[in-house]
Amino acid sequence: MKIFTTRQEVAQYFTHKTGKTVGFVATMGALHNGHISLIKQAQQVCDEVVCSIFVNPTQFNDPKDLEKYPRPIATDIAMLEQAGCDILFNPLVSEMYDDNEKWHLNIGELEHLLEGKFRPGHYQGVMQVVNKLFNIIKPDVAFFGQKDYQQFMVISKMVELMQMPVKLIMCPIERETDGLAMSSRNVHLTADDRQHALILSKTLSWVKANFNSDNIPQLQQQAEAMINTEPGIVLEYFEIVDGDTLFPATHQTQKVVALVAARAGKTRLIDNMLIV
């Protein structure tokens, strides 16, 4: 696996690579099998696979959260090599950002719903860095996990508005055997937190199993109650929405998704499930 740390190295490498399809997986490191599943999917449809590891400061609302974000780079490199990834792009912040750099792209209400409500400015930071990465790597196809469902929609909107020549593919959530969605943040969970956190995937599965488009408000209330009665869990939101708009689902909605965010102890977790 080739490791590049500067834009120049990446640009130089790809000037000599014509006719090959490039697949791209953007990560913030602390890799797990969810990330590796994206690499594997990329390998199936692309000639060459690039993974980036960059803990992007502009998408963190809380400086403490940025500070404690796990950065096990040696382990990450070993995992990527074992997965057969072709290229790692691992830049410093100074390589990606100039001082006092400004960015804003108006994507409408999508930015302010769900995650956007709880993490104002977060998606501007996500778009800012993904735009940079797309311009540096120039992938043909980019792969993102379904766990960040809203993020996928945000990036799709940016690609559409900026007319970027990249195809986006959303890959299914990878779960632990007990149902917990794989996340880099899971390393912060105590044994008790982890046990309590299972209520998130259990509740999503319950909603899927009991879904009836005529009683969505009641289902949502019951789901909230299930999570609120679990010790050590503080619910931020549980929403049953239209999968194309993130507005509340109605009995006419064709594509229904349930999304949840909660704190297990001190760790904030998100999860979702396609219901219909």
Side-chain angles (χ1 to χ4, degrees):
M1 182 173 72
K2 296 174 181 66
I3 300 177
F4 299 137
T5 56
T6 68
R7 298 165 179 239
Q8 198 179 354
E9 289 171 322
V10 175
Q12 214 167 357
Y13 178 78
F14 281 114
T15 47
H16 308 300
K17 293 277 171 184
T18 50
K20 285 194 169 184
T21 54
V22 176
F24 176 48
V25 177
T27 82
M28 294 209 300
L31 302 181
H32 49 70
N33 284 338
H35 296 113
I36 299 305
S37 74
L38 301 182
I39 301 284
K40 295 292 183 195
Q41 189 126 352
Q43 286 168 335
Q44 287 174 25
V45 293
C46 299
D47 300 317
E48 203 149 28
V49 178
V50 184
C51 176
S52 65
I53 292 179
F54 179 66
V55 182
N56 175 40
T58 68
Q59 69 190 69
F60 284 84
N61 312 72
D62 180 356
K64 285 181 188 155
D65 195 18
L66 172 60
E67 203 178 296
K68 72 174 188 181
Y69 198 86
R71 294 169 171 84
I73 191 65
T75 313
D76 287 348
I77 288 171
M79 282 182 79
L80 288 174
E81 285 180 333
Q82 196 176 351
C85 184
D86 300 297
I87 295 159
L88 167 62
F89 180 48
N90 180 214
L92 294 170
V93 173
S94 57
E95 183 65 26
M96 294 296 286
Y97 288 104
D98 299 323
D99 292 339
N100 304 317
E101 199 173 309
K102 296 280 187 279
W103 162 276
H104 188 270
L105 181 67
N106 183 0
I107 57 165
E109 288 185 81
L110 178 58
E111 183 190 343
H112 305 291
L113 302 166
L114 302 170
E115 285 297 286
K117 200 185 293 181
F118 284 87
R119 305 180 70 189
H122 169 68
Y123 284 127
Q124 288 297 332
V126 168
M127 289 189 290
Q128 185 178 20
V129 77
V130 173
N131 176 53
K132 283 174 180 285
L133 290 165
F134 282 177
N135 284 325
I136 293 165
I137 291 157
K138 297 180 172 58
D140 298 289
V141 194
F143 300 80
F144 293 91
Q146 182 196 315
K147 191 172 78 68
D148 293 292
Y149 188 92
Q150 187 174 2
Q151 173 179 278
F152 185 84
M153 291 182 68
V154 165
I155 293 167
S156 299
K157 190 71 183 165
M158 177 188 76
V159 164
E160 178 196 321
L161 290 172
M162 299 182 78
Q163 299 183 319
M164 302 180 94
V166 58
K167 180 184 178 186
L168 304 181
I169 292 181
M170 183 164 72
C171 306
I173 295 175
E174 292 288 315
R175 298 185 179 278
E176 305 289 355
T177 48
D178 56 11
L180 185 71
M182 291 184 181
S183 167
S184 300
R185 295 173 189 269
N186 291 351
V187 296
H188 296 309
L189 296 170
T190 65
D192 279 350
D193 291 342
R194 198 187 179 295
Q195 204 51 44
H196 295 314
L198 298 180
I199 193 64
L200 303 184
S201 58
K202 282 178 186 168
T203 304
L204 288 166
S205 296
W206 179 86
V207 167
K208 187 176 174 76
N210 292 278
F211 185 72
N212 175 343
S213 61
D214 292 329
N215 65 350
I216 291 170
Q218 292 93 315
L219 272 176
Q220 194 161 304
Q221 282 173 355
Q222 285 171 280
E224 287 169 358
M226 285 168 75
I227 294 169
N228 283 327
T229 53
E230 183 71 28
I233 300 293
V234 177
L235 180 65
E236 287 189 355
Y237 63 78
F238 189 102
E239 301 278 350
I240 300 171
V241 300
D242 183 319
D244 293 324
T245 64
L246 297 189
F247 293 146
T250 68
H251 66 281
Q252 291 173 308
T253 304
Q254 300 294 303
K255 182 182 180 182
V256 179
V257 183
L259 301 103
V260 62
R263 289 188 182 273
K266 293 178 181 174
T267 307
R268 188 175 187 276
L269 301 174
I270 59 172
D271 199 353
N272 67 75
M273 198 169 280
L274 302 175
I275 305 299
V276 178

